[in-house]
Amino acid sequence: MADSDAGIWKLRWDTAVAEGAGYLLVAVVCLASELLIWGLSRTLAAAGLEFFSTIVGMALVFALSTACWVVWKRTDDFYRRWLKARVDFINAHLGAGFAIPMIMLDQDEMLNGGEIGRVIGSFIATNIVSWVAVFLLSVATIGAVTKLTSQSPPREGSVSSEKSVAPSSSDDGSSSAEFEDNGQTQQATGSRDGLLLSIPRASDAEKQEGSAPAQGPLNLGEQAEAPRAYVDESSTWSFFSRHFPILLSLALVFTVGIPLTITIHEERLFDGFTLWFIWISSVRAQRAFKHSQMCTFSAPLKRALATLMNPVLLTTLLMTGYTRAKASVLGPGGLARTLQTFSGGTHLYALWTAAVSGDEIPSNPTGWFGAGDAALSILECGILAWGFKLSECRRQIFSLTGLVAILLCTAAAATNVFLSVLASRAMGLHVTEALSFAARSTTLALAKPATEAIGGNSPVNAMLVVSNGILGQLVYPFILDKLGVSKEGDGDDETGIAESQQTVTTNESTSVEAPSSSNTSPSTNTYMPNSWHQSTSSTDSPVTVAAGIAIGINGAAMGVSYLYETRSRAAPYAALSMMVFGVMTVVFTTVEPFKGTLISLASR
């Protein structure tokens, strides 16, 4: 009994250490991302293009990771083992930043009833036309390209269908499933928001010598030499393990946030812990509902309700209620003060630059950095980290299909900038509101400078961008399944972190992960849940590619995030399309003669 108790407590300790190390690595990745964005912003400042730093950073990460793979193939192994789970984790939770622009909308910036109606009408009209036109044009174009390039038979060992096995790009020919799970395996406590730090096993060295078959990865809690597996049957420990992000954030609200707000009027931690609590609770609530027995009598109803429980939508609504309730306590002028405390509206790289140079930021002279700004910084880090996700499917990007996607996105950007503004003016919108539609579906990092360059209404544009993304996330589950857009595997919809196939799960108990007993290599009937498989572009149907292009153009960052979370094969095309479409939108709204022509058309 004593030996069993010691083993269980060692398992708990190792799991806690692994979780903590995983979160520490996430913090390191975020810090490195922000430093890279800062360096790029200083480089681009001479041309007045600081706002491009995040997108340029994503392209730079993609180029560097691809170049490293070309020079040394085993960099893939390093990425899978140490970085992939952290990148997926950031992507899974960057959605909290999408809610900030909607939360920051002040009543003084709102339009009247008639203007709101016209904006909604233009929003619906431009979205219907853009989604349908882009998708159909992409399907037709990609389909024609596929027919032209499908004359030669597929190479032996290549992926010949979307349901076949995807080969790994590793030099040693190891199973791609092993690396997919390595560093991402979650304990059976149900805490799928955590990150476990993986370490090499004794069998890894044996495998390199060819003396042992490929086996599943092990967590820090596993002892490779000991055959005994300790099972933690404590319901209390299991409960705290499953819900520790929610419990910790709630505890910090009352033990740190509220006391500091009352004693020294420091509200940022209170806002930050509240935002964290609402976001993680929304994520967990949607996931719990999906896996519950509620509404099982009607699958369509359950699916609709689960979709409406979108974490971005819930966080936007609840945080809007939180800020308005907090403002009501402060009395007159409370809303303006609450919003200013929540977000200073300045990028972190701009604050760092101002601190180093000693200059003052006109829009934020005090250099305030609130909880909302922290959420937007995580969003920036997530977008930059998509460079790794693009590199995971580099062969899809560096293909004729990828080139066609770039051309389609360039044409779509020009069409959207001019026609959306003309259509909005035709529906009776004022010039500034109509110009806001020029960047109606560009990622937030580019939409704001593009709108300001042509004199558009920035709050309206922010509302359009975020509403576009939320609407897209609500309809994606229905539309993508109807279209038959393929996925990489059965990844988790909320965290984007693959669940281990080797983890032993027994109801509420926690157990040590056991090695796989299978000694066979992946069969041709199994599709590997690994997006780092270097599949050829011929594996993706025109519908899958077209869906990625349409979502990247119209859904922007929120659409790309959703596709990565659901492990869709359309995700790399969406990320590429979002980047190209955003860059070209900025070009058409800031560079002459396009800028002058656009303003002239809107002023008629």
Side-chain angles (χ1 to χ4, degrees):
M1 178 64 68
D3 183 60
S4 177
D5 290 341
I8 290 175
W9 279 106
K10 186 179 187 305
L11 168 63
R12 292 173 177 176
W13 171 256
D14 289 344
T15 302
V17 170
E19 288 280 355
Y23 285 119
L24 181 60
L25 279 178
V26 169
V28 171
V29 171
C30 288
L31 178 59
S33 300
E34 283 294 348
L35 290 173
L36 178 58
I37 292 173
W38 184 29
L40 290 173
S41 71
R42 302 313 306 142
T43 303
L44 297 171
L49 300 174
E50 298 96 328
F51 52 85
F52 266 125
S53 56
T54 303
I55 298 298
V56 173
M58 178 174 66
L60 182 61
V61 169
F62 170 53
L64 289 177
S65 58
T66 301
C68 289
W69 175 81
V70 171
V71 174
W72 191 41
K73 297 296 188 295
R74 294 196 65 83
T75 54
D76 282 7
D77 300 349
F78 175 83
Y79 169 77
R80 296 188 196 102
R81 187 176 297 274
W82 298 106
L83 295 179
K84 189 177 188 304
R86 285 84 216 175
V87 171
D88 291 341
F89 180 84
I90 295 172
N91 177 76
H93 296 290
L94 60 83
F98 295 132
I100 305 304
M102 297 294 286
I103 298 170
M104 292 299 297
L105 289 178
D106 195 342
Q107 293 178 349
D108 296 335
E109 299 174 329
M110 299 299 293
L111 306 176
N112 59 44
E115 292 173 331
I116 291 176
R118 286 189 289 272
V119 168
I120 293 176
S122 300
F123 174 80
I124 295 174
T126 54
N127 267 282
I128 291 176
V129 172
S130 180
W131 278 98
V132 175
V134 169
F135 178 74
L136 293 180
L137 179 61
S138 299
V139 168
T141 306
I142 300 298
V145 171
T146 301
K147 288 182 179 180
L148 292 175
T149 57
S150 61
Q151 302 301 322
S152 58
R155 296 174 301 173
E156 182 180 358
S158 64
V159 181
S160 58
S161 70
E162 294 181 345
K163 298 299 181 181
S164 61
V165 62
S168 170
S169 63
S170 305
D171 292 342
D172 58 5
S174 302
S175 168
S176 60
E178 176 182 358
F179 293 109
E180 170 66 16
D181 289 341
N182 203 349
Q184 302 177 61
T185 305
Q186 306 301 308
Q187 294 291 336
T189 59
S191 174
R192 295 162 70 181
D193 299 298
L195 292 170
L196 292 175
L197 178 65
S198 61
I199 58 174
R201 307 167 304 174
S203 59
D204 289 336
E206 296 173 359
K207 183 181 68 175
Q208 292 176 2
E209 297 174 2
S211 59
Q215 295 179 341
L218 304 181
N219 292 329
L220 279 175
E222 181 176 5
Q223 299 296 325
E225 298 84 0
R228 178 180 301 176
Y230 297 101
V231 179
D232 190 349
E233 297 179 347
S234 172
S235 59
T236 302
W237 179 267
S238 179
F239 175 82
F240 281 102
S241 297
R242 289 198 312 273
H243 302 295
F244 84 91
I246 297 177
L247 298 174
L248 179 60
S249 59
L250 186 61
L252 290 174
V253 167
F254 289 99
T255 60
V256 178
I258 294 179
L260 289 180
T261 300
I262 296 174
T263 56
I264 62 174
H265 304 290
E266 174 54 69
E267 303 175 28
R268 285 178 288 190
L269 292 178
F270 183 31
D271 292 339
F273 294 144
T274 302
L275 175 60
W276 178 19
F277 170 72
I278 290 177
W279 168 257
I280 199 67
S281 297
S282 300
V283 171
R284 292 296 189 89
Q286 186 190 50
R287 182 189 310 148
F289 180 78
K290 286 182 178 181
H291 295 285
S292 71
Q293 297 301 315
M294 299 175 63
C295 299
T296 53
F297 59 87
S298 175
L301 175 61
K302 181 169 185 176
R303 188 173 188 178
L305 293 176
T307 301
L308 291 176
M309 294 175 67
N310 181 275
V312 176
L313 179 60
L314 290 180
T315 301
T316 301
L317 296 176
L318 293 175
M319 283 300 299
T320 300
Y322 161 78
T323 53
R324 273 55 182 179
K326 185 178 175 182
S328 65
V329 175
L330 298 177
L335 181 58
R337 176 185 166 186
T338 299
L339 295 181
Q340 289 173 0
T341 303
F342 186 70
S343 176
T346 308
H347 295 283
L348 184 57
Y349 64 78
L351 294 177
W352 285 349
T353 299
V356 171
S357 61
D359 297 331
E360 187 178 273
I361 301 175
S363 61
N364 188 8
T366 61
W368 185 261
F369 186 78
D373 300 310
L376 290 174
S377 295
I378 295 176
L379 174 59
E380 290 180 342
C381 294
I383 293 176
L384 183 140
W386 283 344
F388 289 114
K389 307 301 291 183
L390 282 174
S391 188
E392 291 181 10
C393 299
R394 48 185 169 261
R395 290 186 182 174
Q396 293 169 297
I397 303 301
F398 292 121
S399 66
L400 184 58
T401 302
L403 176 60
V404 172
I406 292 175
L407 297 177
L408 288 173
C409 292
T410 302
T415 303
N416 175 77
V417 165
F418 293 99
L419 293 187
S420 292
V421 172
L422 289 175
S424 300
R425 285 290 287 154
M427 297 189 71
L429 287 181
H430 296 150
V431 175
T432 55
E433 284 74 32
L435 287 171
S436 302
F437 278 80
R440 63 173 187 82
S441 59
T442 308
T443 183
L444 290 170
L446 301 179
K448 183 177 180 180
T451 303
E452 291 176 347
I454 55 178
N457 189 319
S458 295
V460 171
N461 175 260
M463 182 178 64
L464 292 173
V465 172
V466 178
S467 299
N468 235 348
I470 292 177
L471 180 63
Q473 289 205 349
L474 292 177
V475 301
Y476 295 150
F478 302 97
I479 301 299
L480 294 180
D481 282 350
K482 292 293 183 181
L483 294 175
V485 176
S486 58
K487 297 182 179 181
E488 295 292 351
D490 298 327
D492 181 77
D493 290 349
E494 308 308 328
T495 63
I497 301 174
E499 200 174 21
S500 173
Q501 297 177 342
Q502 309 297 334
T503 303
V504 180
T505 306
T506 54
N507 298 329
E508 300 296 317
S509 64
T510 303
S511 63
V512 178
E513 182 186 10
S516 171
S517 59
S518 174
N519 295 335
T520 60
S521 60
S523 66
T524 56
N525 296 325
T526 303
Y527 187 82
M528 289 300 176
N530 183 11
S531 59
W532 191 271
H533 51 68
Q534 305 306 321
S535 64
T536 61
S537 59
S538 62
T539 62
D540 298 316
S541 69
V543 171
T544 296
V545 178
I549 295 174
I551 291 175
I553 288 175
N554 295 283
M558 290 182 71
V560 177
S561 178
Y562 176 85
L563 292 179
Y564 275 130
E565 288 173 9
T566 55
R567 306 177 61 76
S568 172
R569 293 183 67 92
Y573 301 107
L576 177 65
S577 300
M578 181 201 72
M579 179 174 65
V580 175
F581 181 83
V583 170
M584 296 310 300
T585 294
V586 173
V587 170
F588 291 129
T589 54
T590 59
V591 177
E592 296 292 353
F594 307 112
K595 175 183 176 181
T597 302
L598 179 61
I599 296 176
S600 176
L601 290 174
S603 302
R604 290 181 179 179

